[in-house]
Every structure is written in C-alpha cells, then in structure tokens.
Amino acid sequence: MLKQLTYVQVWVNDQDEALAFYTEKLGMELREDVTVPEMGNFRWLSVGLPGQDVAIALLAVPGPPVFDDETRDAIRSLLAKGASGGLFFATDNAQKSYEELKSRGVEFTQEPTEQPYGIDAGFRDPSGNHFRLAQQNA
Amino acid sequence: MRPVIPVPPTRHLLRAKDLVDARYHEPLDVSALARAAHLSPAHFSREFRRAFGETPHQYLLTRRLERAAFLLRNTDRSVAEICARVGLSSVGSFTTSFGRAFGLSPTRYRAAYPPASSRVRVPTCVVQAYARPHSAVFEKTAAHAAASVLGSP
C-alpha cells in the first residue's frame, strides 16, 4: 500500500523568485532543479527542510499544451488572490522564528498568536501561497 | 535571458486584504489600503471588488465585526472597549452593524454563549494558589460555626 508522502506540489508565479525565497528566506535546501528541453522546457524544481525527506515541488503554471491560456490565467489569478491552499510548518519557538523570518523580509499575515493548541503565525510566499508556522503545546 | 514573469495585479490586492486581516484594529481606511496595493482609491475599490466579490470597505467592516464577536465570546471586556479594540470609533454604529451582521445586539450575542470566565484555561497550579480559602477568614468562620453549634455567646 501507500508508504510515504514524498512531495507536495506548490504552484509558483516565478520559479527563480520562488527558489530564492524558499532557500534564502525560509532556510530550505535545494533538492532538484532539472529542465527538460524535449518537454517544452519543463523545469522540475524542488526544495525541502534540512533533515526532513518530504520535498516541496515548486512548479510554474504551464500553458498549452498542458493548460489552455484561460486555465493557466485562472490558476495564476487564484494564486495571486491567495486562494491556492497552503502548508503548515512546526517550530520550537514561534516568536523567534517570526522575528527571524520577518527580519529577512518575509511577508506576515498574522503575528504569533496564542491558540488553544499552541502559538501560531501566518505568512506568504511571493506568489501568494499561505503558510503557517506553529509551536505546538507540549 | 530568462523571460520576465509579470506579477499578477491581484497579488497587490491580496496584500491589501492581508493588511486588513493583520491591522483591522488600527485606524485603517480605504485610501491606506489603496496605497498598499499601489492603486488610486477609486480604482482600488473597483479592482478589489472584482477580485474578492466585495468592496474593501465591506471586507474591513466584516473583519472588524468578526473580531468583535470573537472578543465578545472570549473576553469579559465591555462592548465599548471591544468596539474601540477592533478599530471602530462609534459604539452606536458598531451596535447597528453588529446587529445587521449577526441578528443580535452585541450584549445579547454575548449572552447566547457560556461566559468567558467559565471556559478560561487556568492551569492547576493557579487554581491551587488562588482558590485556597484564606486561613484568617477560615479560622474566623470556623470559630463562628463552632460558637453557633455550642450555643454559647
């Protein structure tokens, strides 16, 4: 049966911009970056948190022949509107992580806030994807 | 040279929407939001509505009402204080818009939920420290009780 989650896929507006953001600002490592000329220069780009196997595939929204122009534009518009889902991260110290990421210029949507389950905060990537970081109660 | 990928204009509108969610308690208005989106106020309001289905003014007001409802359920602050805390200046118009949004006045809305004090998460150590009867009172009450049991003056 299914064994392990290995990748989650995140649409991004601009793969170079995303790579810089996820590695330089969020502290992830580059896992793969391959462009395939015979597939219309499809670029498989993935990053991940050091020490964790699961990777995030940062994919550009393709146009024809994968998606027609209207579909591509609709996806890019949803992304920019913040309607494209998100990822949830754990941290040992929400306040410290918040301050560090903020000082690197990460755009926060919510400052660290006490919740019944711990302390969490919200932020976005340059494309508009929404992320949360949470310090869970022991 | 790689192609320049333009940022979709809605990304700037999302930034203004995020600003509402994060700073609703500040004296924000539509022109401050328009600045965050790098648009003129009139153009901004139209574009915001096209992207999110409501005007920035409505989004800001309903965010403030949602936060006010949360504070009514989870704190014992007065209605006037909650009104100010969510960035609204007139208690009268707050009460009117709250009633329109939730179908109840702020006071009745609050009364429909268990009081915040009954749901507060107090650690056992705090309960033990604060709920213990004061020994001086305890001795006085015990002496009084003993006196009435014995029937002596």
Side-chain angles (χ1 to χ4, degrees):
Chain A
M1 271 306 282
L2 305 183
K3 189 177 145 196
Q4 197 182 18
L5 176 67
T6 50
Y7 289 92
V8 291
Q9 181 252 314
V10 170
W11 291 126
V12 296
N13 187 50
D14 179 327
Q15 286 179 306
D16 285 336
E17 178 188 55
L19 178 60
F21 177 84
Y22 284 74
T23 56
E24 292 161 24
K25 299 204 170 165
L26 301 187
M28 294 189 192
E29 59 192 11
L30 175 65
R31 296 277 172 85
E32 295 147 302
D33 188 353
V34 185
T35 302
V36 191
E38 59 272 31
M39 282 169 54
N41 283 331
F42 168 77
R43 182 180 179 192
W44 177 251
L45 173 66
S46 73
V47 295
L49 285 170
Q52 191 183 30
D53 285 339
V54 66
I56 302 170
L58 303 170
L59 300 188
V61 187
V66 183
F67 293 140
D68 59 86
D69 288 331
E70 198 188 328
T71 304
R72 178 191 52 199
D73 292 348
I75 295 174
R76 293 185 60 189
S77 164
L78 289 175
L79 194 56
K81 281 192 209 178
S84 63
L87 300 174
F88 297 76
F89 295 98
T91 173
D92 289 332
N93 186 327
Q95 186 63 33
K96 215 172 127 194
S97 304
Y98 163 76
E99 279 159 20
E100 194 165 334
L101 293 173
K102 180 118 184 149
S103 75
R104 296 181 196 170
V106 173
E107 216 175 292
F108 272 81
T109 57
Q110 190 190 16
E111 291 167 14
T113 307
E114 294 230 20
Q115 306 283 1
Y117 49 82
I119 303 171
D120 76 354
F123 58 103
R124 285 196 197 280
D125 78 354
S127 301
N129 292 300
H130 191 215
F131 303 130
R132 299 201 70 83
L133 62 85
Q135 173 188 339
Q136 304 267 4
N137 286 338
Chain B
M1 270 262 310
R2 72 185 196 90
V4 177
I5 299 162
V7 174
T10 36
R11 184 67 182 89
H12 298 296
L13 298 171
L14 179 61
R15 211 160 268 133
K17 187 163 172 270
D18 285 344
L19 188 65
V20 170
D21 292 337
R23 305 256 166 257
Y24 60 89
H25 48 88
E26 291 177 12
L28 277 184
D29 54 19
V30 173
S31 53
L33 299 175
R35 274 198 300 281
H38 308 292
L39 294 173
S40 76
H43 187 51
F44 167 68
S45 290
R46 264 198 317 277
E47 291 302 311
F48 189 98
R49 182 170 191 166
R50 190 176 312 179
F52 301 114
E54 55 192 325
T55 65
H57 174 77
Q58 285 167 329
Y59 189 75
L60 176 59
L61 179 61
T62 49
R63 168 61 61 237
R64 285 171 164 163
L65 294 174
E66 178 276 328
R67 287 288 87 195
F70 172 85
L71 292 172
L72 287 165
R73 294 194 308 272
N74 295 297
T75 72
D76 48 16
R77 301 295 171 94
S78 72
V79 171
E81 194 177 342
I82 286 174
C83 166
R85 223 160 234 280
V86 300
L88 291 169
S89 48
S90 152
V91 178
S93 57
F94 164 62
T95 306
T96 308
S97 358
F98 192 93
R100 241 179 248 150
F102 293 93
L104 290 171
S105 73
T107 313
R108 296 185 69 155
Y109 178 87
R110 167 176 270 165
Y113 288 87
S117 60
S118 70
R119 288 175 297 117
V120 68
R121 292 157 58 96
V122 181
T124 307
C125 60
V126 174
V127 176
Q128 287 186 335
Y130 284 81
R132 192 168 55 89
H134 196 288
S135 43
V137 177
F138 178 72
E139 275 157 27
K140 204 170 142 195
T141 316
H144 184 75
S148 44
V149 167
L150 296 172
S152 57

